[in-house]
PDB file of all heavy atoms in Angstrom:
ATOM      1  N   GLY A   1       0.819  -1.208   0.000  1.00 89.00           N
ATOM      2  CA  GLY A   1       0.000   0.000   0.000  1.00 89.00           C
ATOM      3  C   GLY A   1       0.853   1.258   0.000  1.00 89.00           C
ATOM      4  O   GLY A   1       2.060   1.210   0.227  1.00 89.00           O
ATOM      5  N   ARG A   2       0.218   2.390  -0.257  1.00 87.00           N
ATOM      6  CA  ARG A   2       0.960   3.653  -0.343  1.00 87.00           C
ATOM      7  C   ARG A   2       0.964   4.391   0.981  1.00 87.00           C
ATOM      8  O   ARG A   2       1.988   4.601   1.564  1.00 87.00           O
ATOM      9  CB  ARG A   2       0.382   4.533  -1.447  1.00 87.00           C
ATOM     10  CG  ARG A   2       0.637   3.929  -2.805  1.00 87.00           C
ATOM     11  CD  ARG A   2       0.196   4.818  -3.907  1.00 87.00           C
ATOM     12  NE  ARG A   2      -1.226   5.110  -3.824  1.00 87.00           N
ATOM     13  CZ  ARG A   2      -1.904   5.716  -4.744  1.00 87.00           C
ATOM     14  NH1 ARG A   2      -1.298   6.120  -5.830  1.00 87.00           N
ATOM     15  NH2 ARG A   2      -3.181   5.943  -4.613  1.00 87.00           N
ATOM     16  N   GLY A   3      -0.146   4.835   1.451  1.00 84.00           N
ATOM     17  CA  GLY A   3      -0.237   5.510   2.744  1.00 84.00           C
ATOM     18  C   GLY A   3       0.911   6.455   3.039  1.00 84.00           C
ATOM     19  O   GLY A   3       1.340   7.227   2.202  1.00 84.00           O
ATOM     20  N   ARG A   4       1.427   6.360   4.262  1.00 86.00           N
ATOM     21  CA  ARG A   4       2.556   7.207   4.697  1.00 86.00           C
ATOM     22  C   ARG A   4       3.910   6.568   4.410  1.00 86.00           C
ATOM     23  O   ARG A   4       4.942   7.143   4.711  1.00 86.00           O
ATOM     24  CB  ARG A   4       2.432   7.505   6.185  1.00 86.00           C
ATOM     25  CG  ARG A   4       1.192   8.317   6.537  1.00 86.00           C
ATOM     26  CD  ARG A   4       1.165   8.684   8.000  1.00 86.00           C
ATOM     27  NE  ARG A   4       1.743   7.636   8.837  1.00 86.00           N
ATOM     28  CZ  ARG A   4       1.226   7.181   9.959  1.00 86.00           C
ATOM     29  NH1 ARG A   4       0.106   7.678  10.405  1.00 86.00           N
ATOM     30  NH2 ARG A   4       1.826   6.257  10.657  1.00 86.00           N
ATOM     31  N   GLY A   5       3.903   5.346   3.921  1.00 85.00           N
ATOM     32  CA  GLY A   5       5.155   4.684   3.570  1.00 85.00           C
ATOM     33  C   GLY A   5       5.783   3.859   4.674  1.00 85.00           C
ATOM     34  O   GLY A   5       6.899   3.367   4.517  1.00 85.00           O
ATOM     35  N   VAL A   6       5.071   3.675   5.776  1.00 90.00           N
ATOM     36  CA  VAL A   6       5.632   2.924   6.904  1.00 90.00           C
ATOM     37  C   VAL A   6       5.816   1.451   6.544  1.00 90.00           C
ATOM     38  O   VAL A   6       6.882   0.873   6.786  1.00 90.00           O
ATOM     39  CB  VAL A   6       4.747   3.078   8.163  1.00 90.00           C
ATOM     40  CG1 VAL A   6       5.255   2.213   9.295  1.00 90.00           C
ATOM     41  CG2 VAL A   6       4.677   4.538   8.577  1.00 90.00           C
ATOM     42  N   GLN A   7       4.784   0.844   5.954  1.00 92.00           N
ATOM     43  CA  GLN A   7       4.884  -0.579   5.587  1.00 92.00           C
ATOM     44  C   GLN A   7       5.951  -0.776   4.504  1.00 92.00           C
ATOM     45  O   GLN A   7       6.718  -1.732   4.545  1.00 92.00           O
ATOM     46  CB  GLN A   7       3.542  -1.117   5.072  1.00 92.00           C
ATOM     47  CG  GLN A   7       2.432  -1.042   6.076  1.00 92.00           C
ATOM     48  CD  GLN A   7       2.594  -1.998   7.243  1.00 92.00           C
ATOM     49  OE1 GLN A   7       3.698  -2.323   7.677  1.00 92.00           O
ATOM     50  NE2 GLN A   7       1.493  -2.430   7.779  1.00 92.00           N
ATOM     51  N   ARG A   8       5.993   0.141   3.545  1.00 94.00           N
ATOM     52  CA  ARG A   8       6.984   0.062   2.475  1.00 94.00           C
ATOM     53  C   ARG A   8       8.389   0.101   3.075  1.00 94.00           C
ATOM     54  O   ARG A   8       9.266  -0.680   2.700  1.00 94.00           O
ATOM     55  CB  ARG A   8       6.795   1.211   1.494  1.00 94.00           C
ATOM     56  CG  ARG A   8       7.812   1.245   0.381  1.00 94.00           C
ATOM     57  CD  ARG A   8       7.523   2.442  -0.552  1.00 94.00           C
ATOM     58  NE  ARG A   8       8.577   2.613  -1.520  1.00 94.00           N
ATOM     59  CZ  ARG A   8       9.662   3.351  -1.339  1.00 94.00           C
ATOM     60  NH1 ARG A   8       9.832   4.026  -0.207  1.00 94.00           N
ATOM     61  NH2 ARG A   8      10.579   3.442  -2.270  1.00 94.00           N
ATOM     62  N   ALA A   9       8.621   0.993   4.014  1.00 95.00           N
ATOM     63  CA  ALA A   9       9.932   1.102   4.654  1.00 95.00           C
ATOM     64  C   ALA A   9      10.293  -0.176   5.404  1.00 95.00           C
ATOM     65  O   ALA A   9      11.435  -0.643   5.340  1.00 95.00           O
ATOM     66  CB  ALA A   9       9.963   2.300   5.596  1.00 95.00           C
ATOM     67  N   THR A  10       9.332  -0.758   6.100  1.00 95.00           N
ATOM     68  CA  THR A  10       9.569  -2.014   6.822  1.00 95.00           C
ATOM     69  C   THR A  10       9.950  -3.117   5.848  1.00 95.00           C
ATOM     70  O   THR A  10      10.915  -3.855   6.066  1.00 95.00           O
ATOM     71  CB  THR A  10       8.312  -2.425   7.621  1.00 95.00           C
ATOM     72  OG1 THR A  10       8.022  -1.414   8.580  1.00 95.00           O
ATOM     73  CG2 THR A  10       8.494  -3.764   8.313  1.00 95.00           C
ATOM     74  N   VAL A  11       9.195  -3.225   4.760  1.00 97.00           N
ATOM     75  CA  VAL A  11       9.454  -4.251   3.747  1.00 97.00           C
ATOM     76  C   VAL A  11      10.825  -4.030   3.120  1.00 97.00           C
ATOM     77  O   VAL A  11      11.622  -4.969   3.008  1.00 97.00           O
ATOM     78  CB  VAL A  11       8.335  -4.249   2.679  1.00 97.00           C
ATOM     79  CG1 VAL A  11       8.722  -5.096   1.475  1.00 97.00           C
ATOM     80  CG2 VAL A  11       7.025  -4.743   3.288  1.00 97.00           C
ATOM     81  N   HIS A  12      11.143  -2.813   2.739  1.00 97.00           N
ATOM     82  CA  HIS A  12      12.419  -2.534   2.082  1.00 97.00           C
ATOM     83  C   HIS A  12      13.608  -2.770   3.017  1.00 97.00           C
ATOM     84  O   HIS A  12      14.656  -3.260   2.573  1.00 97.00           O
ATOM     85  CB  HIS A  12      12.435  -1.113   1.519  1.00 97.00           C
ATOM     86  CG  HIS A  12      11.645  -0.988   0.261  1.00 97.00           C
ATOM     87  ND1 HIS A  12      11.879   0.003  -0.656  1.00 97.00           N
ATOM     88  CD2 HIS A  12      10.612  -1.726  -0.238  1.00 97.00           C
ATOM     89  CE1 HIS A  12      11.032  -0.138  -1.668  1.00 97.00           C
ATOM     90  NE2 HIS A  12      10.251  -1.181  -1.426  1.00 97.00           N
ATOM     91  N   ARG A  13      13.456  -2.458   4.292  1.00 97.00           N
ATOM     92  CA  ARG A  13      14.526  -2.732   5.266  1.00 97.00           C
ATOM     93  C   ARG A  13      14.820  -4.224   5.327  1.00 97.00           C
ATOM     94  O   ARG A  13      15.978  -4.647   5.329  1.00 97.00           O
ATOM     95  CB  ARG A  13      14.119  -2.221   6.651  1.00 97.00           C
ATOM     96  CG  ARG A  13      14.907  -1.037   7.138  1.00 97.00           C
ATOM     97  CD  ARG A  13      14.664  -0.685   8.586  1.00 97.00           C
ATOM     98  NE  ARG A  13      13.322  -0.870   9.100  1.00 97.00           N
ATOM     99  CZ  ARG A  13      12.338   0.028   9.000  1.00 97.00           C
ATOM    100  NH1 ARG A  13      12.538   1.181   8.394  1.00 97.00           N
ATOM    101  NH2 ARG A  13      11.156  -0.209   9.506  1.00 97.00           N
ATOM    102  N   LEU A  14      13.764  -5.018   5.392  1.00 97.00           N
ATOM    103  CA  LEU A  14      13.941  -6.465   5.465  1.00 97.00           C
ATOM    104  C   LEU A  14      14.563  -6.994   4.173  1.00 97.00           C
ATOM    105  O   LEU A  14      15.504  -7.790   4.209  1.00 97.00           O
ATOM    106  CB  LEU A  14      12.599  -7.159   5.713  1.00 97.00           C
ATOM    107  CG  LEU A  14      12.733  -8.672   5.760  1.00 97.00           C
ATOM    108  CD1 LEU A  14      12.540  -9.164   7.160  1.00 97.00           C
ATOM    109  CD2 LEU A  14      11.790  -9.336   4.810  1.00 97.00           C
ATOM    110  N   LEU A  15      14.070  -6.536   3.024  1.00 98.00           N
ATOM    111  CA  LEU A  15      14.587  -7.015   1.741  1.00 98.00           C
ATOM    112  C   LEU A  15      16.058  -6.666   1.555  1.00 98.00           C
ATOM    113  O   LEU A  15      16.819  -7.452   0.979  1.00 98.00           O
ATOM    114  CB  LEU A  15      13.766  -6.422   0.591  1.00 98.00           C
ATOM    115  CG  LEU A  15      12.291  -6.842   0.531  1.00 98.00           C
ATOM    116  CD1 LEU A  15      11.581  -6.079  -0.583  1.00 98.00           C
ATOM    117  CD2 LEU A  15      12.139  -8.346   0.360  1.00 98.00           C
ATOM    118  N   ALA A  16      16.468  -5.503   2.031  1.00 98.00           N
ATOM    119  CA  ALA A  16      17.843  -5.046   1.858  1.00 98.00           C
ATOM    120  C   ALA A  16      18.856  -5.956   2.546  1.00 98.00           C
ATOM    121  O   ALA A  16      20.010  -6.037   2.121  1.00 98.00           O
ATOM    122  CB  ALA A  16      17.997  -3.615   2.380  1.00 98.00           C
ATOM    123  N   GLN A  17      18.430  -6.659   3.569  1.00 97.00           N
ATOM    124  CA  GLN A  17      19.364  -7.525   4.297  1.00 97.00           C
ATOM    125  C   GLN A  17      19.038  -9.016   4.185  1.00 97.00           C
ATOM    126  O   GLN A  17      19.723  -9.840   4.772  1.00 97.00           O
ATOM    127  CB  GLN A  17      19.410  -7.109   5.764  1.00 97.00           C
ATOM    128  CG  GLN A  17      18.099  -7.207   6.474  1.00 97.00           C
ATOM    129  CD  GLN A  17      18.151  -6.604   7.866  1.00 97.00           C
ATOM    130  OE1 GLN A  17      19.174  -6.122   8.312  1.00 97.00           O
ATOM    131  NE2 GLN A  17      17.024  -6.622   8.552  1.00 97.00           N
ATOM    132  N   HIS A  18      17.997  -9.359   3.411  1.00 98.00           N
ATOM    133  CA  HIS A  18      17.581 -10.759   3.331  1.00 98.00           C
ATOM    134  C   HIS A  18      18.549 -11.559   2.457  1.00 98.00           C
ATOM    135  O   HIS A  18      18.847 -11.163   1.340  1.00 98.00           O
ATOM    136  CB  HIS A  18      16.154 -10.865   2.781  1.00 98.00           C
ATOM    137  CG  HIS A  18      15.503 -12.145   3.154  1.00 98.00           C
ATOM    138  ND1 HIS A  18      15.848 -13.337   2.574  1.00 98.00           N
ATOM    139  CD2 HIS A  18      14.548 -12.426   4.069  1.00 98.00           C
ATOM    140  CE1 HIS A  18      15.122 -14.302   3.105  1.00 98.00           C
ATOM    141  NE2 HIS A  18      14.327 -13.772   4.022  1.00 98.00           N
ATOM    142  N   PRO A  19      19.032 -12.711   2.935  1.00 97.00           N
ATOM    143  CA  PRO A  19      20.024 -13.485   2.188  1.00 97.00           C
ATOM    144  C   PRO A  19      19.503 -14.090   0.875  1.00 97.00           C
ATOM    145  O   PRO A  19      20.299 -14.433   0.003  1.00 97.00           O
ATOM    146  CB  PRO A  19      20.440 -14.587   3.169  1.00 97.00           C
ATOM    147  CG  PRO A  19      19.312 -14.691   4.137  1.00 97.00           C
ATOM    148  CD  PRO A  19      18.718 -13.314   4.234  1.00 97.00           C
ATOM    149  N   LEU A  20      18.198 -14.234   0.713  1.00 98.00           N
ATOM    150  CA  LEU A  20      17.652 -14.826  -0.512  1.00 98.00           C
ATOM    151  C   LEU A  20      17.289 -13.789  -1.569  1.00 98.00           C
ATOM    152  O   LEU A  20      16.955 -14.140  -2.692  1.00 98.00           O
ATOM    153  CB  LEU A  20      16.411 -15.669  -0.184  1.00 98.00           C
ATOM    154  CG  LEU A  20      16.651 -16.882   0.708  1.00 98.00           C
ATOM    155  CD1 LEU A  20      15.340 -17.575   1.035  1.00 98.00           C
ATOM    156  CD2 LEU A  20      17.629 -17.846   0.061  1.00 98.00           C
ATOM    157  N   VAL A  21      17.362 -12.506  -1.218  1.00 98.00           N
ATOM    158  CA  VAL A  21      16.964 -11.439  -2.134  1.00 98.00           C
ATOM    159  C   VAL A  21      18.175 -10.936  -2.918  1.00 98.00           C
ATOM    160  O   VAL A  21      19.181 -10.532  -2.345  1.00 98.00           O
ATOM    161  CB  VAL A  21      16.303 -10.273  -1.367  1.00 98.00           C
ATOM    162  CG1 VAL A  21      16.030  -9.095  -2.294  1.00 98.00           C
ATOM    163  CG2 VAL A  21      15.017 -10.744  -0.710  1.00 98.00           C
ATOM    164  N   VAL A  22      18.042 -10.972  -4.244  1.00 98.00           N
ATOM    165  CA  VAL A  22      19.083 -10.467  -5.131  1.00 98.00           C
ATOM    166  C   VAL A  22      18.849  -8.990  -5.416  1.00 98.00           C
ATOM    167  O   VAL A  22      19.773  -8.189  -5.418  1.00 98.00           O
ATOM    168  CB  VAL A  22      19.092 -11.253  -6.463  1.00 98.00           C
ATOM    169  CG1 VAL A  22      20.045 -10.628  -7.468  1.00 98.00           C
ATOM    170  CG2 VAL A  22      19.427 -12.702  -6.230  1.00 98.00           C
ATOM    171  N   HIS A  23      17.600  -8.638  -5.660  1.00 97.00           N
ATOM    172  CA  HIS A  23      17.257  -7.280  -6.073  1.00 97.00           C
ATOM    173  C   HIS A  23      15.790  -7.012  -5.735  1.00 97.00           C
ATOM    174  O   HIS A  23      14.973  -7.926  -5.761  1.00 97.00           O
ATOM    175  CB  HIS A  23      17.480  -7.144  -7.584  1.00 97.00           C
ATOM    176  CG  HIS A  23      17.120  -5.822  -8.143  1.00 97.00           C
ATOM    177  ND1 HIS A  23      17.891  -4.696  -7.952  1.00 97.00           N
ATOM    178  CD2 HIS A  23      16.059  -5.437  -8.878  1.00 97.00           C
ATOM    179  CE1 HIS A  23      17.306  -3.682  -8.562  1.00 97.00           C
ATOM    180  NE2 HIS A  23      16.210  -4.103  -9.128  1.00 97.00           N
ATOM    181  N   PHE A  24      15.477  -5.753  -5.433  1.00 98.00           N
ATOM    182  CA  PHE A  24      14.084  -5.349  -5.273  1.00 98.00           C
ATOM    183  C   PHE A  24      13.936  -3.918  -5.742  1.00 98.00           C
ATOM    184  O   PHE A  24      14.902  -3.157  -5.767  1.00 98.00           O
ATOM    185  CB  PHE A  24      13.595  -5.516  -3.827  1.00 98.00           C
ATOM    186  CG  PHE A  24      14.268  -4.620  -2.832  1.00 98.00           C
ATOM    187  CD1 PHE A  24      13.729  -3.383  -2.506  1.00 98.00           C
ATOM    188  CD2 PHE A  24      15.443  -4.997  -2.203  1.00 98.00           C
ATOM    189  CE1 PHE A  24      14.334  -2.558  -1.580  1.00 98.00           C
ATOM    190  CE2 PHE A  24      16.063  -4.183  -1.277  1.00 98.00           C
ATOM    191  CZ  PHE A  24      15.509  -2.955  -0.967  1.00 98.00           C
ATOM    192  N   ARG A  25      12.708  -3.576  -6.159  1.00 97.00           N
ATOM    193  CA  ARG A  25      12.427  -2.223  -6.631  1.00 97.00           C
ATOM    194  C   ARG A  25      10.936  -1.960  -6.515  1.00 97.00           C
ATOM    195  O   ARG A  25      10.131  -2.897  -6.456  1.00 97.00           O
ATOM    196  CB  ARG A  25      12.887  -2.037  -8.077  1.00 97.00           C
ATOM    197  CG  ARG A  25      12.153  -2.926  -9.069  1.00 97.00           C
ATOM    198  CD  ARG A  25      12.749  -2.782 -10.473  1.00 97.00           C
ATOM    199  NE  ARG A  25      12.179  -3.755 -11.389  1.00 97.00           N
ATOM    200  CZ  ARG A  25      11.133  -3.526 -12.169  1.00 97.00           C
ATOM    201  NH1 ARG A  25      10.532  -2.362 -12.157  1.00 97.00           N
ATOM    202  NH2 ARG A  25      10.684  -4.465 -12.975  1.00 97.00           N
ATOM    203  N   ASP A  26      10.583  -0.694  -6.487  1.00 95.00           N
ATOM    204  CA  ASP A  26       9.174  -0.339  -6.487  1.00 95.00           C
ATOM    205  C   ASP A  26       8.549  -0.784  -7.799  1.00 95.00           C
ATOM    206  O   ASP A  26       9.171  -0.688  -8.860  1.00 95.00           O
ATOM    207  CB  ASP A  26       9.001   1.175  -6.332  1.00 95.00           C
ATOM    208  CG  ASP A  26       9.392   1.661  -4.950  1.00 95.00           C
ATOM    209  OD1 ASP A  26       8.993   1.021  -3.966  1.00 95.00           O
ATOM    210  OD2 ASP A  26      10.102   2.680  -4.857  1.00 95.00           O
ATOM    211  N   ASP A  27       7.330  -1.270  -7.725  1.00 95.00           N
ATOM    212  CA  ASP A  27       6.588  -1.640  -8.923  1.00 95.00           C
ATOM    213  C   ASP A  27       6.063  -0.354  -9.550  1.00 95.00           C
ATOM    214  O   ASP A  27       5.227   0.324  -8.943  1.00 95.00           O
ATOM    215  CB  ASP A  27       5.435  -2.575  -8.550  1.00 95.00           C
ATOM    216  CG  ASP A  27       4.618  -3.019  -9.750  1.00 95.00           C
ATOM    217  OD1 ASP A  27       4.859  -2.524 -10.876  1.00 95.00           O
ATOM    218  OD2 ASP A  27       3.729  -3.864  -9.562  1.00 95.00           O
ATOM    219  N   PRO A  28       6.548   0.034 -10.727  1.00 92.00           N
ATOM    220  CA  PRO A  28       6.134   1.307 -11.309  1.00 92.00           C
ATOM    221  C   PRO A  28       4.633   1.379 -11.594  1.00 92.00           C
ATOM    222  O   PRO A  28       4.063   2.463 -11.584  1.00 92.00           O
ATOM    223  CB  PRO A  28       6.950   1.409 -12.604  1.00 92.00           C
ATOM    224  CG  PRO A  28       7.471   0.047 -12.873  1.00 92.00           C
ATOM    225  CD  PRO A  28       7.484  -0.689 -11.568  1.00 92.00           C
ATOM    226  N   ALA A  29       3.990   0.242 -11.795  1.00 91.00           N
ATOM    227  CA  ALA A  29       2.555   0.232 -12.064  1.00 91.00           C
ATOM    228  C   ALA A  29       1.725   0.477 -10.804  1.00 91.00           C
ATOM    229  O   ALA A  29       0.535   0.767 -10.884  1.00 91.00           O
ATOM    230  CB  ALA A  29       2.150  -1.105 -12.687  1.00 91.00           C
ATOM    231  N   ALA A  30       2.340   0.373  -9.628  1.00 88.00           N
ATOM    232  CA  ALA A  30       1.603   0.485  -8.366  1.00 88.00           C
ATOM    233  C   ALA A  30       1.795   1.830  -7.680  1.00 88.00           C
ATOM    234  O   ALA A  30       1.284   2.036  -6.585  1.00 88.00           O
ATOM    235  CB  ALA A  30       2.023  -0.629  -7.418  1.00 88.00           C
TER     236      ALA A  30
END
């Protein structure tokens, strides 16, 4: 969701350090 960006920040923090994640980016369509 968009909102204030709290959930997005939580998700991105986790993805940035997750050992199985190679790359992540915002979905431009969303």
Side-chain angles (χ1 to χ4, degrees):
R2 292 185 301 189
R4 296 185 325 225
V6 175
Q7 299 291 32
R8 178 180 172 271
T10 299
V11 168
H12 283 204
R13 249 190 324 275
L14 178 109
L15 296 175
Q17 61 188 359
H18 202 287
L20 296 176
V21 174
V22 173
H23 178 74
F24 66 92
R25 63 185 172 93
D26 291 315
D27 181 354

